[in-house]
């Protein structure tokens, strides 16, 4: 999975410069970056991204501490010190030299985003307990798939605001990012993951530097996460002759795909953080339902999940161990749990299970059936209103779930998403002729929804001779807030009256069939207003 969070200016450099660059440990004060990294036994951070040539960096080069401070700490050019020194030596003023080291406008609050790429739990177990060739293969595939997903984000998810009216435009492809690889979680259990810290500085269409519009980028985080899960499992299954199966680690939640044949005891053994988080989440859910007596919604559960993860997070260790020492300790713990024979034959057990699964897998994808299924699932999980990113993420989940690790044909996920929008969705908001909405920002509803929410039409284009449709009268409703009832039933000059047991409503003519005529408005409603008991309504 891929998680994404914003990185604030200033504190970003301090946190990543002291802890992330040395394997989530703590770098002692006064110790150099390279010395602390070698003691922790983690590989050095490297630069990645298509925009590196624009700032004079090379992909794969080591990340230097001063470059991190300039880019993520202050939002400047990575080599800002060299640029300022050269301008001052050329006779420029300090203001001109400082302006030459900027990348566009100054960073106000957020200087970057941290993307964490973490393989599924079964892959973690196979990587930690497998042979050295298997470990190196999984690490190479992790690097390759991470680069593929990052390249997809660079071409599809970069937007900037331009002009005085902050018009959203697509930025040029390419980001400046630093990748750091870690091997363990805070409990010391196996957790292969990569931190990809990317700068918010991107190039606009006019080749000038702008600031990344982070809202669409963060909203689309689920779709790249599903692409990462799909591609990593496909590559591992292809290279090692394995298959995937669904697993439900949490009751009532959607299943996740894992490598078949890996014992669940080992997956739970490696996922110590997840166990503690789920226990705390169950406590928070019980407290919420006892306090509010309301059902738990998806958004509230996500907030509780974040809170539970934060509250159960142990403090970071002062130092990290090298990978050989970690693997030896992990092997001893796994043998104590399931036995030495299971640990030594882990890959063989997974291959035997995969051979039985592959005989029942249908490798041909029915795009029409997949489009209908993902539309139905998304409409249920998102309350009947969803966007393109929800369908795209669900299409990738569908491919991972149905193909069981078999590689999907290229662009199958986008074909399923396009078929779902074309055949089973209708626009949730009417098109605006003056300002076309990009596909990524459009809202959709299922075509079979019987009670679609009403939408307000956009005003006619400027210069149009078509008269706007008359506004419907406000419908009286006792469900409206008390402070708004006066404006619903009369003019703005209608006095507001407060009653404890009665409500001040305009007179209404009742018909034998129980129909209610249109309420009186204006001065007549104000002068003839009477009190009506609530039981008469």
């Amino acid at each position: 999975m891929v998680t994404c969070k914003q990185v604030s200016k200033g504190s970003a450099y301090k946190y990543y410069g002291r802890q992330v660059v040395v394997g989530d440990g703590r770098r002692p004060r006064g110790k150099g970056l390279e010395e602390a990294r070698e003691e922790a036994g983690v590989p050095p951070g490297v630069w990645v991204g298509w925009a590196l040539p624009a700032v004079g960096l090379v992909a794969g080069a080591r990340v230097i501490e001063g470059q991190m401070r300039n880019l993520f700490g202050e939002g400047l050019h990575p080599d800002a010190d060299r640029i300022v020194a050269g301008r001052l030596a050329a006779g420029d003023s300090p203001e001109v030299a400082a302006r030459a080291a900027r990348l566009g406008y100054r960073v106000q609050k957020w200087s970057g985003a941290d993307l964490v790429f973490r393989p599924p739990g079964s892959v973690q177990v196979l990587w930690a307990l497998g042979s050295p060739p298997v470990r190196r293969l999984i690490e190479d595939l992790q690097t390759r798939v991470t680069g593929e997903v990052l390249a997809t984000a660079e071409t599809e998810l970069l937007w900037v605001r331009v002009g005085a009216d902050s018009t959203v435009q697509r930025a040029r492809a390419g980001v400046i990012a630093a990748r750091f690889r870690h091997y363990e979680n805070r409990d010391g259990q196996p957790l292969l993951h990569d931190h990809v810290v990317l700068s918010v500085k991107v190039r606009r269409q006019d080749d000038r530097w702008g600031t990344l519009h982070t809202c669409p980028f963060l909203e689309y985080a689920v779709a790249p996460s599903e692409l990462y899960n799909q591609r990593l499992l496909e590559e591992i299954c292809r290279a090692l002759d394995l298959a995937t199966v669904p697993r439900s680690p949490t009751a009532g939640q959607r299943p996740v795909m894992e490598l078949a044949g890996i014992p669940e005891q080992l997956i739970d053994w490696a996922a110590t953080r997840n166990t503690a988080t789920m226990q705390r989440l169950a406590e928070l859910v019980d407290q919420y339902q006892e306090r509010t007596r309301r059902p738990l919604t998806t958004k509230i559960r996500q907030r509780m999940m974040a809170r539970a993860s934060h509250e159960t997070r142990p403090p970071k260790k002062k130092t990290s161990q090298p990978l050989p020492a970690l693997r030896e300790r992990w092997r001893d713990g796994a043998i104590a749990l399931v036995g030495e024979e299971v640990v030594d034959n882990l890959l063989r057990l997974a291959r035997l299970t995969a051979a039985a699964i592959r005989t029942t897998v249908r490798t041909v994808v029915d795009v029409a059936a997949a489009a209908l299924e993902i539309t139905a699932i998304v409409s249920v999980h998102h309350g009947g209103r969803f966007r393109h990113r929800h369908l795209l993420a669900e299409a990738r989940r569908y491919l991972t779930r149905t193909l069981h690790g078999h590689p999907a044909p290229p662009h199958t996920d986008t074909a399923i998403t396009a078929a779902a929008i074309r055949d089973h969705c209708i626009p949730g908001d009417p098109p605006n002729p003056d300002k076309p909405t990009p596909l990524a920002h459009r809202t959709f509803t299922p075509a079979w929804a019987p009670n679609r929410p009403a939408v307000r039409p956009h005003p006619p284009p400027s210069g149009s001779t078509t008269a706007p449709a008359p506004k419907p009268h406000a419908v009286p409703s006792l469900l409206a807030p008390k402070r708004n009832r006066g404006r619903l039933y009369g003019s703005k000059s209608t006095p507001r009256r407060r009653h404890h047991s009665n409500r001040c409503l305009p007179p209404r003519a009742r018909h034998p069939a129980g129909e209610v005529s249109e309420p009186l408005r204006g001065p007549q409603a104000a002068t003839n207003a009477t009190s009506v008991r609530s039981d008469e309504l």
Side-chain angles (χ1 to χ4, degrees):
M1 65 178 297
V2 181
T3 59
C4 181
K5 67 177 181 179
Q6 291 175 306
V7 177
S8 61
K9 172 185 175 182
S11 62
Y13 163 71
K14 296 179 181 178
Y15 175 76
Y16 288 91
R18 294 176 182 175
Q19 300 183 18
V20 174
V21 296
V22 292
D24 279 338
R26 290 183 180 273
R27 182 167 57 139
R29 291 182 179 273
K31 180 170 291 189
L33 174 61
E34 291 299 323
E35 182 182 358
R37 183 192 59 77
E38 292 178 359
E39 290 182 358
V42 295
V46 295
W47 291 109
V48 294
W50 291 350
L52 294 178
V55 292
L57 297 177
V58 179
R62 288 193 177 189
V63 177
I64 302 176
E65 188 173 3
Q67 295 174 339
M68 284 192 61
R69 179 185 65 250
N70 293 330
L71 183 61
F72 299 110
E74 303 177 16
L76 303 177
H77 192 285
D79 294 328
D81 299 336
R82 176 181 57 81
I83 294 176
V84 172
R87 287 301 186 99
L88 292 177
D92 292 339
S93 63
E95 293 78 8
V96 174
R99 193 180 304 114
R102 296 179 193 166
L103 298 179
Y105 293 102
R106 296 188 181 207
V107 174
Q108 298 298 326
K109 185 176 181 181
W110 309 112
S111 62
D114 182 13
L115 305 178
V116 182
F117 295 79
R118 183 179 63 189
S122 56
V123 178
Q124 303 284 358
V125 173
L126 188 60
W127 166 79
L129 304 177
S131 62
V134 172
R135 175 185 63 83
R136 289 192 294 269
L137 174 65
I138 294 178
E139 291 179 359
D140 293 341
L141 294 178
Q142 164 79 355
T143 302
R144 184 197 308 173
V145 174
T146 300
E148 292 180 8
V149 177
L150 182 61
T152 302
E154 288 182 291
T155 56
E156 299 178 0
L157 304 182
L158 301 185
W159 300 80
V160 292
R161 290 187 178 274
V162 181
D165 56 349
S166 296
T167 303
V168 178
Q169 295 183 358
R170 186 177 292 276
R172 296 184 61 181
V175 296
I176 308 172
R179 179 173 59 83
F180 303 95
R181 173 155 294 178
H182 298 163
Y183 297 137
E184 57 179 331
N185 62 11
R186 297 195 178 202
D187 291 333
Q189 293 298 95
L191 183 61
L192 173 67
H193 61 285
D194 289 336
H195 287 266
V196 178
V197 188
L198 58 90
S199 172
V200 295
K201 292 301 180 179
V202 294
R203 290 181 298 172
R204 308 187 312 192
Q205 292 296 335
D206 57 3
D207 208 22
R208 300 173 61 185
W209 287 100
T211 303
L212 175 68
H213 187 24
T214 55
C215 289
F217 189 86
L218 296 176
E219 289 175 351
Y220 252 86
V222 178
S225 177
E226 296 301 330
L227 176 61
Y228 167 77
N229 295 339
Q230 174 194 349
R231 292 291 300 122
L232 183 63
L233 290 175
E234 287 178 356
E235 291 296 328
I236 292 177
C237 291
R238 181 190 58 81
L240 298 176
D241 295 329
L242 302 181
T244 60
V245 291
R247 180 175 181 264
S248 300
T250 306
Q253 299 299 315
R254 307 178 70 175
V256 296
M257 300 303 294
E258 299 282 2
L259 295 177
I262 304 298
E264 292 194 5
Q265 299 95 318
L266 291 178
I267 298 177
D268 296 333
W269 162 76
T272 54
R273 286 291 314 279
N274 183 70
T275 303
T277 301
M278 290 297 106
Q279 293 176 355
R280 179 53 181 161
L281 176 63
E283 297 175 358
L284 294 176
V285 170
D286 294 340
Q287 295 174 6
Y288 172 82
Q289 293 181 343
E290 182 179 358
R291 184 177 66 254
T292 62
R293 305 293 181 182
R294 296 177 181 177
L296 190 67
T297 62
T298 303
K299 289 187 177 180
I300 295 178
R301 189 183 185 280
Q302 291 175 351
R303 295 175 183 175
M304 289 185 177
M305 187 72 175
R307 177 182 172 184
S309 177
H310 180 75
E311 292 180 353
T312 58
R313 183 173 57 179
K316 289 188 175 182
K317 304 180 298 296
K318 293 185 178 181
T319 57
S320 298
Q321 294 180 340
L323 183 58
L326 291 174
R327 283 173 55 84
E328 184 178 355
R329 178 167 59 83
W330 293 337
R331 175 179 171 81
D332 295 339
I335 290 176
L337 181 64
V338 297
E340 185 176 1
E341 184 177 1
V342 175
V343 174
D344 292 339
N345 297 278
L346 198 60
L347 181 59
R348 179 171 175 269
L349 293 174
R351 284 175 172 171
L352 290 175
T353 308
I357 293 176
R358 283 197 299 269
T359 59
T360 62
V361 175
R362 183 183 178 185
T363 58
V364 178
V365 179
D366 189 344
V367 175
L372 177 61
E373 181 173 339
I374 69 167
T375 306
I377 295 175
V378 169
S379 62
V380 171
H381 283 274
H382 294 277
R385 290 179 67 88
F386 44 85
R387 296 196 177 186
H388 173 267
R389 63 177 184 269
H390 302 127
L391 294 170
L392 182 60
E394 192 60 39
R396 291 165 177 171
R397 291 193 192 101
Y398 176 87
L399 294 174
T400 308
R401 182 177 66 254
T402 56
L403 296 180
H404 293 277
H406 189 276
H411 310 295
T412 307
D413 52 352
T414 55
I416 295 175
T417 305
I421 294 177
R422 181 185 66 247
D423 300 335
H424 307 294
C425 299
I426 59 175
D429 296 319
N432 188 354
D434 289 342
K435 190 176 182 181
T437 305
L439 177 63
H441 302 160
R442 296 177 190 172
T443 303
F444 299 97
T445 60
W448 59 79
N451 296 320
R452 293 187 295 271
V455 294
R456 180 177 298 176
H458 291 284
S462 56
S464 175
T465 58
T466 305
K471 296 183 179 180
H473 294 294
V475 179
S477 175
L478 293 177
L479 299 179
K482 291 184 179 181
R483 62 180 180 273
N484 296 333
R485 288 178 188 165
R487 297 193 179 186
L488 280 175
Y489 291 102
S491 62
K492 294 183 179 180
S493 60
T494 304
R496 299 180 181 178
R497 302 182 182 181
R498 295 183 179 180
H499 297 270
H500 296 284
S501 59
N502 299 330
R503 293 182 173 88
C504 182
L505 301 176
R508 301 186 295 180
R510 294 184 177 273
H511 297 276
E515 300 177 355
V516 182
S517 63
E518 186 69 17
L520 300 177
R521 300 179 182 275
Q524 186 178 2
T527 55
N528 298 335
T530 59
S531 297
V532 181
R533 297 194 307 270
S534 59
D535 56 353
E536 294 180 355
L537 301 175

